[in-house]
Each structure stands twice: as structure tokens, then as C-alpha cells.
Amino acid sequence: MQKKLIINDTDYETRVALLENGTIAELFIERQDHSDITGNIYKGRVQRVLPGMQAAFVDIGLNQAAFIYVDDVLGYQDVEIEQFMLHTHEDDEIPGESSAVTMLEHTVSRKGMHIEDMISEGQEILVHVAKSPLGTKGARVTTYISLPGRFLVLMPYSDHIGVSRRIVDETERARLREIILSLRDDAFGYIIRTASDGIEAEKLAAEMVFLKNLWQTILNKYKTASAPSLLHKELNVSLRAVRDLLTHEADSLIIDSRPVYDSVLSFLNTFMPRMKDSVELYDGQEPIFDAYNLEGDISRALKRKVWLKSGGYIVIEQTEALVAVDVNTGRYVGKHNLEETILKTNLDAVKEIAYQLRLRDIGGIIIIDFIDMEKKANQEKVYNALLDALKKDRSKTHVLPISEMGLIQMTRKRIRKPLNRILCEPCFYCEGEGYLMSRNSICHMIYREILREYRTVNGIRIIVRVNPEIAELLHGEENYLIFQLEKTIGKQIMIYPNPQFHLEEFDILEIHQE
């Protein structure tokens, strides 16, 4: 499979697209609002401890306070940490681990230990952002620090050494582990990343020194900085893509900006000099995303309904709690029998659902409502097809078998904002509800308002200012309401359109006799 990284850089926005056989598979966007702070390290101050939730709010200098759960608090009160594990980037998971990026879990004997016993309000703590702010939720932070490099991830509060599960050769896994053990002269833990496969010991040793020096720099800043303060900023989206995706997820990199091109070459010269020939500066007249036909796929990824090649379609509904995906036959009528038609539609939907989840970066709980299949064998085909389609996804997923109601329940790791949260905002008409009051309902609302408020007043005329579409309806199809009102209250009613009015907005004015 041919894979490319495409970087589009402007003064205010950088977009990185991962292409697989010419089709966009993943999209990363970074803007000057600095909303993606995952991986940053801060000196924070505990604002409030919540024993009832076993969590605390931490001021890290953002508009919203970050929050930390008890399981993410290192033992500040001499709590013995027996063992813990780091979840690094999804391509660097250790067999048996789940994959929440930079979020640490640990196996600790903590009977009777509560968050109020470990941290207190006003305390200064060193925290690592595990999840960026999302909607009304602040960033999620942890005190278990991890520093990712190209080949390794340093874990200063662990002595665990793990190897990416994507390195499958047992001999190579053992070689890498032995190298790290022989080079390690401290009690730090390390994750050996996928990019380390085949790398000589000298390069691993150099990165170990680099990461340890970086950690010492962060500690030095922590001692002198006031809280809250940013101590370490994760690489920008362009360099993260180079570090995490080039070589193992992409074969080449094309950039449309000379400054970014130079920055990437400098980064590669330090960490991956052999990859410099894979980088190309795009100098075409056409915008780079247009040249690779990416804008249409991005627009399609924002739509609620997505058509399938067979003629069926899926509907993706995103809520605060979960994402629901509904599969429909649409225009597809099949060739032989109903069960075959349903199976074909569901199998087509599986590929598109897996693709859209990855492209839109949808996470959390996902419910998929496939079209009901009578045969158990067909249900198994669809379930296995979904598992197979999700293998391309670098994010960790957990999928349950199809239920008796024809539903599949699954989870997908959520770290960043989904694509629609980055590129869209709630509708200022419907305030994000997805619905507007029907035009007929608005007419009847106006009728009730006039009847309620103006039946007994002394004016001779009532002026109603409304959106032009409502005015047209009141002068036409719903005109009987106006006639009935004039007869009931004994006053003339005048309807005036105002193009500045929201569809649901209206004003009622009473004109008195002079």
C-alpha cells in the first residue's frame, strides 16, 4: 500500500493528511488557538479537591481548569508505587496494554488511599496533559510523565522496559530490550517504539541521552517557575507527523511551505538523516490539498449522511455521550433476495464506517445499528469484516459481537477533538440541537401569543414583525389564523417581514389610537 504525508501550511493553520493509495485516511489540524495541548507538561496548582469524585481541578494557566483522577496521581505522600504502565502512541503499544495516549495506569496497592490524602488545595504539582480540552470539559492531566522521542519513550517515574507490539520478531524484541538494559544507568523506564526496529545501539544510546537531558531541563524549570507555567511544549503537528508517521506509516512527505520544509529537514538531519530523500517541496500552482483531491473527502467527512457505493447509506449522529451509526439500504434493491441485499449493504457499510471513524477521529462509545440479518452466519461475516477493517486504525478499539437487536457496541480511544469539533461550530439558529421549530408551529405560536397578551388591550392595530418565510406563510397557507384573530380580538393585524430576523424570532407591537 502506497502511503504519503501531505502538509499544507499557512500563517494561521497547518493541516497534515495521511494518504493511503491516494485516499485521505487521517487528518491532523493545528491552529493558532493552541487548542491541542496533548503532551505538554505544566507546573500546575491544585485549585480544588473533590473527595466525592476522587478527582481534583488543577490550574495550568488555561481558561478551563484541568482535572486529574486519583489513579493519575503519583504518590506525593510516599505512596509506594509498585508497578505502572505507560500507554504511548497507538503504534507503540505493548502486548496486553490498552492504548490511551500518554495516559498512565498503574497496579498499586492503595487500600484506604484517597485523593485528599495525596494532594491538597494550593499544592504545586508537575502534570502531563493526557487529553486536550474537549467541549465543556477541561484537559485531563496525569502526574505520570512520559517524553516521546523518535525511537524511545522515557518514563522517569518507572523502571519498566516495554517493546512496541508492532515489532513482532522475537529475536529483534530481545535484542532491543538487551540494548536498553545494557545502556541504562538509571532507574528510568523506557518504551521501545516501532521505529527502533533494526536501529543500531549507538542511535538508541544517543536518544536516551537526549531524553534524559530533556527531563533534567524540565525539572530545572519546575524548580524556578511559578505556577501555573508551561514547562515543555510538544512538537508542532508537522514535526509530530515526521516523528510518529514517517517510515512506518508513510513512505514520503510532501510539503507546500519552504519554512516547514526547512524545519523538517533540520529535524531529520538530527534524528533520521536517511529519510531526508523522502521529503519533497511542493511548488505547484494549485493548492496542495486540491492537487491531491482531498478537500472533497474532508467536506464529506462533515456530513451526517454518507452514501455507499452500493446505493445504501449510513447516518452518523454524534452526541455528548456516544456516537450512533445507522445503516440503511437506500437506493440499493439487490439482485436475488432480501437477505443477500441486506448482507451486501451491511458489508459495504462496514468499510465506510471504519474509514469514517478513523478520518473523523470519532472516539468514545459507538453504537452501530446494522440492518437486521436473520442468518447467524451473516452476522458473523459482518462482525469479522468490521474487526478486519478496524485493523488499519492506529487507535485502540474494542468491539462486542452483534447483539440480539442487531447492534454492535464498540469503543474507540478518544484523545483529540473529533474533526467536526475542529472544523465546525454549533448552529447559531438551532444552538446545536440540530432542529428548528417548524414554520407552521411558529405561526401557531404567534397566534397564541397575540390571543394571550392582546385580547383585552385598547389598541386599534397590532403589528407583527417576522422572518420573511413566516410572513409569506401568514399571508398564504396560515392566513386563516390572522382572520380568526382579527375576528376574536376586534383589531387589525399587520404582518411585516424583516430579513434580519431568525426564523423563530418575532416581535408584536400594539399601535394605540391618538
Side-chain angles (χ1 to χ4, degrees), residues 260-420:
V260 175
Y261 175 77
D262 292 338
S263 173
V264 167
L265 287 184
S266 176
F267 182 85
L268 289 174
N269 192 52
T270 303
F271 295 101
M272 296 176 284
R274 64 186 177 86
M275 295 300 301
K276 291 172 68 175
D277 292 339
S278 302
V279 183
E280 175 187 336
L281 179 63
Y282 176 79
D283 58 1
Q285 295 298 315
E286 190 178 16
I288 190 169
F289 269 39
D290 288 338
Y292 285 89
N293 300 313
L294 305 183
E295 299 291 7
D297 285 336
I298 295 172
S299 297
R300 185 166 168 258
L302 300 176
K303 296 186 181 299
R304 175 175 170 270
K305 180 186 287 189
V306 180
W307 287 96
L308 307 174
K309 292 180 180 179
S310 65
Y313 64 89
I314 62 173
V315 176
I316 302 173
E317 295 278 7
Q318 294 184 246
T319 72
E320 286 290 329
L322 54 83
V323 175
V325 183
D326 186 34
V327 181
N328 297 278
T329 54
R331 295 189 294 257
Y332 182 59
V333 295
K335 294 181 179 179
H336 298 96
N337 58 61
L338 178 60
E339 184 73 7
E340 183 183 274
T341 301
I342 290 172
L343 177 62
K344 177 69 167 61
T345 304
N346 283 339
L347 289 174
D348 278 354
V350 159
K351 298 176 185 176
E352 190 63 39
I353 290 168
Y355 173 72
Q356 291 294 331
L357 293 180
R358 187 179 174 196
L359 177 57
R360 299 181 188 217
D361 204 7
I362 293 172
I365 301 171
I366 301 163
I367 307 296
I368 306 173
D369 184 10
F370 286 104
I371 306 170
D372 289 341
M373 295 167 285
E374 293 183 359
K375 296 181 179 178
K376 188 72 175 177
N378 289 342
Q379 293 180 13
E380 289 295 326
K381 284 181 182 179
V382 171
Y383 174 71
N384 291 328
L386 179 60
L387 294 180
D388 190 57
L390 290 171
K391 288 179 180 178
K392 296 180 181 179
D393 196 338
R394 295 184 305 119
S395 291
K396 182 73 172 181
T397 57
H398 178 64
V399 186
L400 297 179
I402 296 180
S403 70
E404 293 181 0
M405 299 180 67
L407 304 176
I408 277 188
Q409 303 171 69
M410 63 172 288
T411 59
R412 183 177 185 272
K413 183 190 63 179
R414 176 167 57 194
I415 298 299
R416 299 183 304 271
K417 291 181 181 179
L419 191 62
N420 70 330

Side-chain angles (χ1 to χ4, degrees), residues 48-57 67-71 114-116:
R48 188 180 175 196
V49 178
L50 306 172
M53 296 180 64
Q54 284 302 293
F57 288 111
F67 63 96
I68 186 169
Y69 289 123
V70 63
D71 287 344
H114 303 286
I115 195 165
E116 61 269 28

Side-chain angles (χ1 to χ4, degrees), residues 482-491:
I482 303 302
F483 285 142
Q484 182 63 42
L485 277 172
E486 289 180 332
K487 181 179 177 181
T488 301
I489 66 177
K491 299 177 181 66

Side-chain angles (χ1 to χ4, degrees), residues 233-275:
K233 185 172 175 22
E234 173 64 305
L235 296 176
N236 62 41
V237 68
S238 301
L239 296 183
R240 286 203 310 271
V242 172
R243 182 190 68 193
D244 299 335
L245 301 178
L246 195 58
T247 304
H248 291 278
E249 294 295 334
D251 310 309
S252 61
L253 172 61
I254 304 168
I255 307 169
D256 68 353
S257 163
R258 169 63 72 173
V260 175
Y261 175 77
D262 292 338
S263 173
V264 167
L265 287 184
S266 176
F267 182 85
L268 289 174
N269 192 52
T270 303
F271 295 101
M272 296 176 284
R274 64 186 177 86
M275 295 300 301

